[in-house]
Amino acid sequence: MSDKSGDRGMSRRNLLRAGAVGAAGVAVGGAARALQQGASPEQLQGAAQLVSSHGHVASNDAVGDIQPGGFDPTAFLTDFDYGRVSTLADGRTLREYDMVAIDEDIEVAPGVWFPAWTYNGQVPGPTIRCTEGDRLRVNFRNAGSHPHTIHFHGTHPAEADGVFEIVEPGGSYTYEFDAEPFGLHLYHCHAIPLKRHIHKGLYGTFIVDPPGGREPARELVMVMNGFDTNFDGSNEIYAVNTVGFHYQRHPIKLALNELVRVYLVNLTEFDLINSLHMHGNMFRLYRTGTDLERSELTDTVTLCQGERAVLEFSYRFPGRFMFHAHQSEFAELGWMAMFDVSGEEAPVV
Ligand SMILES: [Cu+2]
């Protein structure tokens, strides 16, 4: 730890290392809550130093785990919400979704809690999935403490854009539009100040499948995000799907040679760009997923805020392979993950 006297706030690394100490890190979660209740940055830093004095934690270590029973990033990877399905008079499919804005504390690293604003109590919000041409009806209710909206990317009428129809606490609004074009989109709150409403957790993935679908694959949703746990306007924790180092502690299991499709969305606030770099392999890149022809074969993709891409690949060699932000700082602060590829290596013909 660096400066014990002159450093008024907690540095990014201080907090994450403190959180990574595991059970002792609960003190920091408590301290983060205490800050909300008026504790000074000095008190918070003191708590972090107290925790970190119990042992040195090197960068990229992932010690301890989040509490069981809460948001599970592993389950979230493959959790697609197709809504309540019915058929309209004209024969088209109607999908109806209920979305509620709720203030909720979420665990973003072991023992580190963040006072989030959420859709349906989770960050990211549910992954909404449909097929091009479906009619979507999204019933939004604001049970949170601040005005919110839902702004969907894609093509739709102005009244479904979720910008000017601000929904006050206790209010509700229904967005109705046709899903188009096919591709990988997103949704997020568009109330101001925008960076705060997004960073607090009001975002999610919106997948519109092409009419004929895509090739069968093992499909995974990955939202790159970050959390400003000490409220200084920059992120202390980076992750895919909210929990720092989660997929390092719990590698994502893949089968050798199976086709994998990742829906990758960048919803990192404060930093201009984020990236994904995959080891031991290359992926086919489909920018925004609105085209079925790959644009590139690469092992790294860099996305600005709000950008997204579909990645397709299969592993040819078994074993553990890292994937992570290629910005080293983000990787050291939580955006570091593993695939665990199992199966027999294909014989060389
Ligand atoms: Cu909002």
Side-chain angles (χ1 to χ4, degrees):
M1 313 299 283
S2 55
D3 185 351
K4 290 194 178 180
S5 56
D7 186 0
R8 291 181 61 79
M10 292 177 63
S11 78
R12 296 174 170 202
R13 279 173 188 75
N14 286 351
L15 186 62
L16 190 71
R17 284 177 181 168
V21 177
V26 171
V28 175
R33 291 178 193 219
L35 183 65
Q36 287 175 257
Q37 294 158 11
S40 69
E42 288 80 3
Q43 285 172 293
L44 189 60
Q45 187 181 11
Q49 287 171 345
L50 180 71
V51 171
S52 61
S53 69
H54 287 90
H56 173 72
V57 180
S59 291
N60 293 350
D61 276 3
V63 179
D65 208 345
I66 55 171
Q67 293 177 10
F71 176 76
D72 178 356
T74 299
F76 178 82
L77 283 169
T78 55
D79 190 4
F80 301 100
D81 187 345
Y82 291 91
R84 290 190 302 281
V85 181
S86 58
T87 305
L88 295 166
D90 64 4
R92 291 193 302 145
T93 297
L94 170 69
R95 298 183 190 271
E96 211 166 341
Y97 299 85
D98 297 324
M99 300 277 276
V100 186
I102 308 168
D103 297 0
E104 186 129 330
D105 286 359
I106 60 168
E107 197 173 12
V108 296
V112 178
W113 292 80
F114 178 77
W117 298 341
T118 74
Y119 290 120
N120 293 6
Q122 65 179 69
V123 178
T127 298
I128 289 182
R129 189 158 187 178
C130 57
T131 300
E132 187 177 72
D134 291 348
R135 162 100 350 179
L136 301 188
R137 185 177 296 155
V138 181
N139 306 303
F140 175 53
R141 185 164 62 83
N142 187 356
S145 56
H146 290 71
H148 298 305
T149 67
I150 309 178
H151 163 65
F152 286 87
H153 285 216
T155 307
H156 49 241
E159 65 270 19
D161 199 38
V163 173
F164 303 111
E165 297 79 12
I166 299 295
V167 182
E168 297 293 333
S172 59
Y173 191 83
T174 298
Y175 305 91
E176 188 157 332
F177 55 99
D178 294 336
E180 59 178 335
F182 76 76
L184 172 54
H185 307 301
L186 63 149
Y187 63 86
H188 58 84
C189 180
H190 218 295
I192 53 171
L194 192 55
K195 68 178 180 183
R196 183 162 187 237
H197 282 252
I198 294 177
H199 165 260
K200 288 283 262 181
L202 288 163
Y203 49 76
T205 303
F206 172 37
I207 298 171
V208 180
D209 288 320
R214 297 178 194 267
E215 192 182 344
R218 179 166 156 69
E219 300 196 313
L220 307 168
V221 172
M222 297 190 184
V223 176
M224 300 189 287
N225 54 2
F227 296 92
D228 172 15
T229 55
N230 65 351
F231 321 113
D232 67 350
S234 64
N235 295 310
E236 280 70 47
I237 290 175
Y238 292 85
V240 154
N241 299 339
T242 298
V243 180
F245 294 121
H246 183 82
Y247 304 117
Q248 181 167 302
R249 289 187 291 269
H250 306 277
I252 298 170
K253 294 187 188 312
L254 300 180
L256 203 65
N257 296 319
E258 76 173 329
L259 177 61
V260 181
R261 179 174 299 120
V262 171
Y263 294 97
L264 180 70
V265 184
N266 182 14
L267 276 155
T268 316
E269 265 305 326
F270 307 135
D271 298 283
L272 295 182
I273 56 171
N274 203 334
S275 63
L276 183 151
H277 165 57
M278 194 168 79
H279 284 211
N281 209 349
M282 306 286 281
F283 52 79
R284 297 189 292 281
L285 179 67
Y286 301 82
R287 288 209 172 258
T288 318
T290 47
D291 202 308
L292 297 177
E293 296 294 317
R294 75 163 166 87
S295 55
E296 206 178 326
L297 181 69
T298 181
D299 58 16
T300 305
V301 59
T302 302
L303 301 176
C304 188
Q305 294 168 343
E307 270 197 292
R308 58 277 184 197
V310 176
L311 284 48
E312 286 184 356
F313 55 91
S314 327
Y315 266 95
R316 286 171 48 204
F317 301 104
R320 287 199 170 193
F321 294 95
M322 289 178 171
F323 63 101
H324 56 86
H326 215 292
Q327 291 102 317
S328 308
E329 183 184 28
F330 294 7
E332 289 182 2
L333 292 170
W335 185 168
M336 165 65 74
M338 293 276 187
F339 289 123
D340 186 2
V341 184
S342 61
E344 290 300 308
E345 198 171 325
V348 177
V349 181

